[in-house]
Amino acid sequence: MSPPRKSKASSPASLVEPARREAIRAGLLAWYDRQKRDLPWRRTRDPYAIWLSEVMLQQTQVATVIPYWERFLQRFPTVEALAAAPLPDVLAGWRGLGYYSRARNLHRAAQEIVSRFGGRLPSTAAELLTLPGFGRYTAGAVASIAFSEPAPLVDGNVARVLSRLFEIEGAPGDKAREARLWELATALVPGERPGDFNQALMEHGATVCRPEKPLCLLCPVREQCLAYRHGRVDELPPAKVRAAPKRMTLAVAVWAHEGRLLLARRSEKGLFGGLWELPTAEVEDDTSDPDSATKLAEALGAEVSVRGHLGTVRRQLTHRALSLRLLRVTGRQHPTRAPAFQELRWCTPNEASSLGMSTAMHKALEAAVSAGALHD
DNA sequence: CATTCGTGGCG
DNA sequence: TCGCCAAGAAT
């Protein structure tokens, strides 16, 4: 029989002792005002630009995002411009950034913002949540940063900071833990400058309350930190358990004809959805060349024969170990459409390299060309 | 609730 | 060379 748990807080703010709440808020905000990094999306108040930064920053580091964000905004400066662009152009702007469903959802959301909201982002987290690509985090981030709504957010940084401050047990993904973290974030955010407070929480997690070797001696809220008081900073939160990456082998058709290569655009769903590639077909690791040719022929809806090997490109993703086996192929007819692909195109290497294409396929393309794919 | 979806940096 | 992971969302 467990002792009666604290009754469910009637108002979120009462979840945290008022004095403690104010100490945490004031400490983090003052620290943020002194120490925040000068990031380009902190120099704008354009909700669209802020939204774009939040989407790009999902599971992606600040340093990686900066050049993409600037380039993308030049190419698609407004919601209307983005909504009007063809998806392949949008994916080309996203090329190399990864998690391409973010770009597809961004594009769809832009179109909905035009059709449903007259081209202006809605200003509340509740409304933002109805748009593709907006989860709880991104809705809270845009609502608070761009529109000053006291909407909470919990990302990986915030989860770590709050886990330590309040000594929350449980591993990432644990339902009770997540609920508790969102309650705490909800309790803390009401007050002045909710957007800055949310960014302060994240910035603190990114630079001081880091996963490894946190800088507790520089921490502005150390005196409020239960994990610090109890010497448990290094054990909170516990690391996420990840599944071992699965092997995936793709036969890649390197089909050259009069100085051009056959390119294909993948289906919208799944891995590298909507991106261009040298046509691929998934095969078993030990598939023979003739069997690979059969798979590629099915995908392309054309007769295909293998003329030789141009090497193998390996690529490690979070959850997959990719093996791209480059096969020089040819056939009697030169297909211009195919059952497994949205679109086919015969491109010069220059044209090909400007298409929206995964980094894995870019490397494969380079490898094929330098192995002499265009010669006999 | 578990799985899927990329990439580059860093120790 | 390799494991770990970073401002998550969709299914």
Side-chain angles (χ1 to χ4, degrees):
Chain A
M1 194 76 83
S2 56
R5 203 56 193 154
K6 282 183 283 248
S7 65
K8 212 166 224 167
S10 49
S11 110
S14 68
L15 207 76
V16 182
E17 207 69 33
R20 179 153 152 73
R21 199 185 100 87
E22 284 320 304
I24 291 172
R25 285 184 49 85
L28 285 174
L29 273 171
W31 170 84
Y32 181 71
D33 290 338
R34 290 195 310 271
Q35 304 290 340
K36 68 179 174 189
R37 292 170 288 181
D38 179 21
L39 304 177
W41 43 87
R42 289 183 175 157
R43 292 167 169 263
T44 178
R45 303 208 48 170
D46 177 8
Y48 165 64
I50 292 169
W51 167 37
L52 179 66
S53 75
E54 288 303 332
V55 175
M56 287 187 166
L57 284 163
Q58 291 169 9
Q59 302 290 287
T60 309
Q61 304 195 340
V62 164
T64 306
V65 166
I66 290 175
Y68 279 92
W69 184 82
E70 287 171 341
R71 245 182 290 134
F72 197 96
L73 271 182
Q74 282 196 354
R75 195 158 169 184
F76 308 105
T78 63
V79 173
E80 287 83 358
L82 177 59
L87 176 60
D89 291 1
V90 176
L91 290 170
W94 207 268
R95 180 180 59 177
L97 197 52
Y99 284 133
Y100 298 94
S101 66
R102 295 182 295 173
R104 299 195 299 272
N105 287 330
L106 185 78
H107 186 230
R108 283 174 47 208
Q111 295 176 332
E112 282 193 32
I113 289 167
V114 168
S115 64
R116 290 170 52 199
F117 299 101
R120 303 175 65 91
L121 268 80
S123 62
T124 66
E127 290 174 291
L128 291 165
L129 261 178
T130 68
L131 292 165
F134 278 88
R136 213 170 167 187
Y137 165 79
T138 306
V142 173
S144 65
I145 297 170
F147 298 108
S148 297
E149 182 188 2
L153 60 74
V154 176
D155 74 333
N157 290 311
V158 175
R160 182 171 55 257
V161 170
L162 296 181
S163 295
R164 289 172 174 166
L165 273 175
F166 294 89
E167 205 170 7
I168 305 298
E169 310 291 340
D174 180 88
K175 195 178 172 185
R177 171 185 187 261
E178 306 299 330
R180 181 74 177 145
L181 293 173
W182 277 95
E183 281 179 2
L184 289 168
T186 304
L188 290 172
V189 72
E192 298 297 304
R193 301 161 59 201
D196 282 348
F197 175 70
N198 280 336
Q199 292 191 81
L201 269 175
M202 294 189 281
E203 185 88 342
H204 178 60
T207 61
V208 173
C209 197
R210 308 181 298 198
E212 304 291 329
K213 300 182 184 175
L215 308 176
C216 293
L217 294 183
L218 300 179
C219 177
V221 288
R222 185 178 60 231
E223 298 197 351
Q224 298 297 326
C225 184
L226 293 179
Y228 182 78
R229 189 178 304 169
H230 298 153
R232 299 188 60 205
V233 171
D234 290 324
E235 59 187 86
L236 287 177
K240 196 184 311 186
V241 276
R242 286 174 194 268
K246 296 173 183 169
R247 298 178 51 91
M248 181 177 186
T249 301
L250 298 173
V252 181
V254 183
W255 190 335
H257 179 58
E258 293 178 349
R260 292 171 181 273
L261 288 167
L262 179 59
L263 276 293
R265 200 157 76 82
R266 293 172 65 85
S267 121
E268 301 280 326
K269 298 192 172 204
L271 187 66
F272 303 137
L275 297 184
W276 286 91
E277 65 178 12
L278 294 168
T280 64
E282 187 172 0
V283 299
E284 298 301 315
D285 298 344
D286 53 359
T287 304
S288 66
D289 286 355
D291 288 348
S292 294
T294 303
K295 296 279 192 191
L296 287 169
E298 276 173 22
L300 288 169
E303 179 192 328
V304 168
S305 60
V306 175
R307 290 295 195 75
H309 290 254
L310 293 167
T312 297
V313 169
R314 294 179 200 289
R315 181 89 187 145
Q316 188 65 46
L317 312 185
T318 298
H319 56 290
R320 284 181 193 282
L322 286 186
S323 228
L324 305 183
R325 250 186 239 161
L326 306 182
L327 300 177
R328 186 203 290 273
V329 306
T330 185
R332 267 182 277 191
Q333 291 143 359
H334 300 96
T336 54
R337 53 200 178 88
F341 299 106
Q342 306 200 85
E343 197 177 343
L344 294 184
R345 201 179 281 181
W346 291 87
C347 296
T348 66
N350 261 349
E351 291 166 349
S353 62
S354 71
L355 296 173
M357 194 177 285
S358 69
T359 299
M361 191 53 64
H362 247 281
K363 293 187 185 302
L365 180 62
E366 285 176 13
V369 171
S370 68
L374 292 164
H375 312 109
D376 289 326

